Amino acid sequence: MRPALRLLVGLALLVASMLACAVPGFDADPTPPPEPTPPGDMIFYTAPYSVPLQAGTYIPGTQVGYVQSSGELHELLIDNLRAYRQVGDSLTWSGIIAPGVHGDYRLHLQASFTGALQAEGEVRLAILNPTPVEIPPTTTPQGSIVFSGIPVTYVVPVGSRIPGTTLVYVGERNGVAELSGTVSYPFFAVEDSLIWVGKLREEVTVRYNLRVNRMDDYGLHLTGTAELWVMN
């Protein structure tokens, strides 16, 4: 092939490649769709957590207790064993905090600006066999352990249930999402808030404060927060 012809062929291939990248829908490596939130026999939450430490008391639901301080050294009990920690050290514990509820505490010992001690970090919660039951949203939940500000993001396909609720996404009609499984008004537009309160188990109450982000071929997209009350 003559050099001039080879140059023309090369230019043609380059232009074809650039056009392919510019044409909508033509993508050799398309971004995969988001995975729908799967159902299951457990539901998981990761909760930010902070609790003040007072001498003679335990972090709620755990076997981590604060005994006393001596200068920069702080004495604690962890599973009935004495532990000595300084500010910044870890306070980890994992175990059953209520029937059917497992907590994995990943905390650190911190001091407030007043010098008071507190444990801060996150708790990973697993709730076994949740059986959601809707209760009126005006109900005041009761629980000896409270987890708030839990971030949640769900993608709910048509015909599927919003995790941890009785709500089922029926589909979209004229830009409005229709839900079943509730005695309340079941229609929500994009940017509407969605409040749901219910029992996951007899010992666990949840309150969702969600917002409808969008509806597309993958389902109903929701983001927001959850709050849990656990009786132990």
Side-chain angles (χ1 to χ4, degrees):
M1 186 181 293
R2 289 177 294 179
L5 184 57
R6 283 199 299 269
L7 179 59
L8 288 174
V9 171
L11 288 172
L13 291 174
L14 178 60
V15 171
S17 176
M18 293 173 65
L19 287 174
C21 293
V23 175
F26 192 102
D27 192 347
D29 184 23
T31 301
E35 292 293 328
T37 305
D41 56 3
M42 297 186 78
I43 188 168
F44 301 92
Y45 301 93
T46 298
Y49 194 66
S50 177
V51 60
L53 299 178
Q54 297 180 345
T57 64
Y58 284 80
I59 295 175
T62 77
Q63 291 297 312
V64 179
Y66 171 49
V67 181
Q68 61 183 351
S69 295
S70 178
E72 296 182 352
L73 202 60
H74 308 287
E75 181 182 347
L76 298 105
L77 283 175
I78 303 177
D79 289 329
N80 293 320
L81 296 175
R82 295 197 179 275
Y84 297 90
R85 294 287 190 268
Q86 297 187 72
V87 169
D89 288 347
S90 65
L91 288 177
T92 58
W93 185 86
S94 182
I96 302 299
I97 64 175
V101 183
H102 183 273
D104 183 5
Y105 288 70
R106 303 184 178 193
L107 310 175
H108 286 82
L109 185 64
Q110 302 291 352
S112 69
F113 69 93
T114 64
L117 288 179
Q118 54 195 31
E120 295 181 0
E122 67 178 25
V123 182
R124 300 183 180 184
L125 298 158
I127 298 171
L128 179 66
N129 296 325
T131 54
V133 176
E134 185 178 35
I135 61 177
T138 54
T139 302
T140 301
Q142 301 295 321
S144 52
I145 314 173
V146 180
F147 302 96
S148 58
I150 304 169
V152 292
T153 299
Y154 295 139
V155 179
V156 187
V158 172
S160 296
R161 190 169 67 177
I162 299 173
T165 77
T166 57
L167 302 173
V168 175
Y169 179 42
V170 176
E172 177 266 339
R173 184 193 308 171
N174 298 323
V176 175
E178 181 180 356
L179 302 175
S180 64
T182 179
V183 297
S184 300
Y185 188 74
F187 300 103
F188 298 86
V190 172
E191 298 300 330
D192 276 354
S193 61
L194 193 165
I195 307 297
W196 190 89
V197 181
K199 292 273 192 180
L200 295 179
R201 298 174 56 95
E202 185 59 35
E203 306 85 2
V204 184
T205 304
V206 64
R207 181 182 188 272
Y208 284 100
N209 187 350
L210 306 175
R211 193 163 295 276
V212 177
N213 283 341
R214 68 180 185 273
M215 294 159 271
D216 57 24
D217 292 340
Y218 307 124
L220 179 65
H221 296 249
L222 300 164
T223 59
T225 59
E227 190 167 6
L228 289 175
W229 291 261
V230 180
M231 296 292 297
N232 69 344

